[in-house]
Amino acid sequence: MNILILGSGGREHALSWKISQSPLLKKLFIAPGNAGTESHGQNVALDISDFQAIERFAIKENIDMIIVGPEDPLVKGIHDYFLANEKLKNIKIVGPAKQAAMLEGSKEFAKKFMWENNIPTAAFKSFSKDSYKDACQFLKTMSSPYVLKADGLAAGKGVLILDDYEKACDELSEMFAGKFGAAGSRVVIEQFLEGTELSVFVLTDGNSYVLLPEAKDYKRVGEGDTGLNTGGMGAISPVPFADSTFIQKVKSQIIQPTMEGIKNAGMNYKGFIFFGLISVKGDPFVIEYNVRMGDPEAEVVIPRIKSDLLDLFSGVCEGNLDKKKLELDGRTVSTVMLVSGGYPGLYEKGKPITGHNEVEKSIVFHAGTKIESGQIQTNGGRVMALSSYGKNMKEALERSYDSAGKIQFDGVFFRKDIGFDL
Ligand code: AMP
Ligand code: GLY
């Protein structure tokens, strides 16, 4: 098969790394990719929201399957675009169609879906600009901390958690005034849930699903889970508290009703479902759906998949996923993300990176990197993820930190306490 992966982060490097090992692969392209994906396939300079450019490339290179890394092209309807065109119908898309992608593209849509399908989630109400007064009234009926969520995609920044009622009303007013652009023209206000978060992933063909390894990611920039939210500073899989009793609850109370809801709504869902969960006294609740793999979760989940991922993706696209077998690696995988100084605020790019070739105990997944005159340089906030296997969490993390110490670039920073709470 000729494969095109869309995206340029650590997740897409992990996908390329895995797919390049498949005997089913003929040629692999990554658009736009990074300095790491280049060692598994050919990077192509395509804008991933320019569907016409992707179409032309896919026809020219006889692409059989497009694997969509990030949510944006899915929410914009790339799957529907390919289905609607007679010439493109045979090109398989891993990633749901537009209506299903709303599960990530609109918090309000996702919350209503959960409510209608009896899926445990925080109580909520949604409001638009012209109901600001009602929204503040509703906030008054909730207790602190107050959770405000911009309805639309806001690059992971659209959720605010505030202790003070007055401050929450002020923020609400700013959201309606355009703080998050159009994403905040509707806002979901929800009950705060106290518990421990983890992420569960499935691959589905819309009918059946396979349960992938769960993971925990560390979103805050600072040690002890402090400071600003980032895309993710590290991750671990498996998650020790997600024992078989807990996973059984996730399957019966969350995954199965989600699958039923998808079928009943007639959604075309082929791809990953990412369940952002919180365990409240041992019971799982959904915080959010994402319609793609997580990043850096992919950098710990994909290395734990022993089966041929391309064969699983074929099952997803052809609707016979129930015939495929999923084999997992029982070891722990940890990843530690090296980021640019200043991230998640302002940071500089173009810093030369050294030492990555001396890493022996980890897989170096590139995220924000590029090659410039033969030299590998930083090209984003999250630069490289160091994923390591271990017989337990301690061993995996020791290896990731040993590798992290070997890599240098101006301003390099990483969290030293990944896994501290497990
Ligand atoms: P989201 O973008 O929906 O994943 O929200 C970002 C982060 O906000 C989550 O990872 C949680 O840490 C936190 N969060 C969101 N909703 C809630 C909630 N209802 N209760 C507690 N924390 C929440
Ligand atoms: N690491 C969180 C995400 O990919 O959404």
Side-chain angles (χ1 to χ4, degrees):
M1 278 188 275
N2 293 326
I3 306 292
L4 171 63
I5 297 177
L6 300 183
S8 61
R11 167 182 52 213
E12 287 75 23
H13 189 184
L15 284 165
S16 326
W17 169 83
K18 180 70 182 165
I19 282 169
S20 68
Q21 300 166 33
S22 169
L24 301 172
L25 179 71
K26 215 152 78 191
K27 208 157 176 208
L28 176 62
F29 299 93
I30 309 96
N34 59 37
T37 58
E38 197 112 271
S39 49
H40 306 293
Q42 186 184 327
N43 285 353
V44 274
L46 285 175
D47 170 359
I48 62 169
S49 38
D50 184 348
F51 299 165
Q52 285 173 354
I54 296 170
E55 167 186 352
R56 284 193 297 273
F57 181 81
I59 292 172
K60 181 169 123 272
E61 295 294 342
N62 273 314
I63 297 295
D64 298 292
M65 184 189 285
I66 300 179
I67 300 160
V68 186
E71 62 279 13
D72 230 46
L74 295 167
V75 173
K76 289 188 178 130
I78 192 168
H79 196 137
D80 312 68
Y81 181 92
F82 274 72
L83 275 185
N85 186 328
E86 205 49 49
K87 279 189 300 192
L88 307 175
K89 268 194 173 149
N90 293 327
I91 302 176
K92 312 274 197 307
I93 309 281
V94 178
K98 192 170 181 168
Q99 184 206 3
M102 292 263 287
L103 287 171
E104 176 164 1
S106 163
K107 301 265 187 213
E108 184 181 24
F109 179 87
K111 294 294 291 194
K112 284 187 173 156
F113 175 91
M114 287 182 246
W115 206 249
E116 283 161 9
N117 290 289
N118 286 315
I119 296 162
T121 189
F124 76 103
K125 238 176 152 169
S126 49
F127 297 90
S128 65
K129 218 183 193 129
D130 48 9
S131 53
Y132 174 68
K133 277 202 177 131
D134 294 342
C136 286
Q137 274 301 319
F138 179 68
L139 266 181
K140 229 177 215 164
T141 67
M142 313 284 279
S143 46
S144 166
Y146 304 97
V147 183
L148 309 180
K149 298 186 170 185
D151 177 55
L153 291 183
K157 298 192 169 79
V159 175
L160 299 177
I161 298 178
L162 303 147
D163 290 328
D164 181 62
Y165 171 76
E166 301 296 332
K167 179 84 180 123
C169 279
D170 289 349
E171 285 289 352
L172 192 57
S173 145
E174 281 187 32
M175 284 166 100
F176 285 142
K179 178 172 185 165
F180 299 114
S185 61
R186 291 190 70 79
V187 173
V188 169
I189 299 179
E190 68 179 47
Q191 168 203 11
F192 180 82
L193 298 175
E194 184 86 59
T196 315
E197 287 179 62
L198 83 161
S199 311
V200 168
F201 309 91
V202 305
L203 252 182
T204 180
D205 58 7
N207 230 337
S208 61
Y209 73 89
V210 293
L211 180 66
L212 301 174
E214 76 285 353
K216 183 167 201 317
D217 104 293
Y218 292 81
K219 286 201 176 84
R220 301 294 200 89
V221 72
E223 266 126 52
D225 285 339
T226 54
L228 294 173
N229 256 324
T230 69
M233 298 292 290
I236 308 255
S237 177
V239 180
F241 73 83
D243 56 14
S244 59
T245 312
F246 183 80
I247 292 295
Q248 199 47 49
K249 285 185 193 170
V250 172
K251 282 185 181 170
S252 62
Q253 295 167 18
I254 290 168
I255 303 176
Q256 272 150 18
T258 300
M259 292 303 305
E260 286 306 313
I262 285 172
K263 279 184 236 176
N264 292 339
M267 290 178 186
N268 176 6
Y269 207 121
K270 293 180 182 303
F272 291 102
I273 313 177
F274 168 150
F275 298 86
L277 305 180
I278 188 161
S279 165
V280 181
K281 300 194 180 89
D283 285 320
F285 285 73
V286 180
I287 294 272
E288 63 166 351
Y289 288 114
N290 294 310
V291 297
R292 51 171 174 85
M293 260 316 286
D295 191 353
E297 291 92 329
E299 290 94 302
V300 295
V301 170
I302 291 174
R304 292 196 57 217
I305 300 175
K306 277 178 144 177
S307 318
D308 182 346
L309 188 57
L310 206 42
D311 187 42
L312 288 168
F313 284 156
S314 293
V316 163
C317 296
E318 282 156 21
N320 57 3
L321 191 59
D322 57 336
K323 305 283 186 306
K324 308 285 180 188
K325 246 191 69 197
L326 178 71
E327 218 191 316
L328 298 178
D329 192 314
R331 288 175 292 175
T332 295
V333 180
S334 64
T335 201
V336 170
M337 188 66 80
L338 305 185
V339 307
S340 298
Y343 175 79
L346 293 178
Y347 56 84
E348 289 173 14
K349 296 181 184 177
K351 309 286 183 195
I353 304 170
T354 57
H356 49 283
N357 292 329
E358 280 136 55
V359 171
E360 283 163 2
K361 295 180 184 167
S362 309
I363 314 168
V364 180
F365 288 127
H366 291 229
T369 67
K370 62 176 175 185
I371 303 180
E372 198 84 24
S373 341
Q375 184 191 52
I376 296 192
Q377 300 184 355
T378 66
N379 193 36
R382 294 192 292 169
V383 176
M384 281 177 173
L386 304 167
S387 296
S388 320
Y389 293 96
K391 61 177 184 288
N392 52 33
M393 201 171 81
K394 186 169 171 282
E395 188 176 85
L397 280 164
E398 271 168 15
R399 291 174 177 167
S400 289
Y401 282 119
D402 181 67
S403 305
K406 292 194 154 79
I407 299 180
Q408 266 109 43
F409 56 87
D410 185 24
V412 61
F413 171 78
F414 55 89
R415 257 181 79 165
K416 318 277 184 305
D417 69 340
I418 300 304
F420 78 99
D421 55 338
L422 294 177

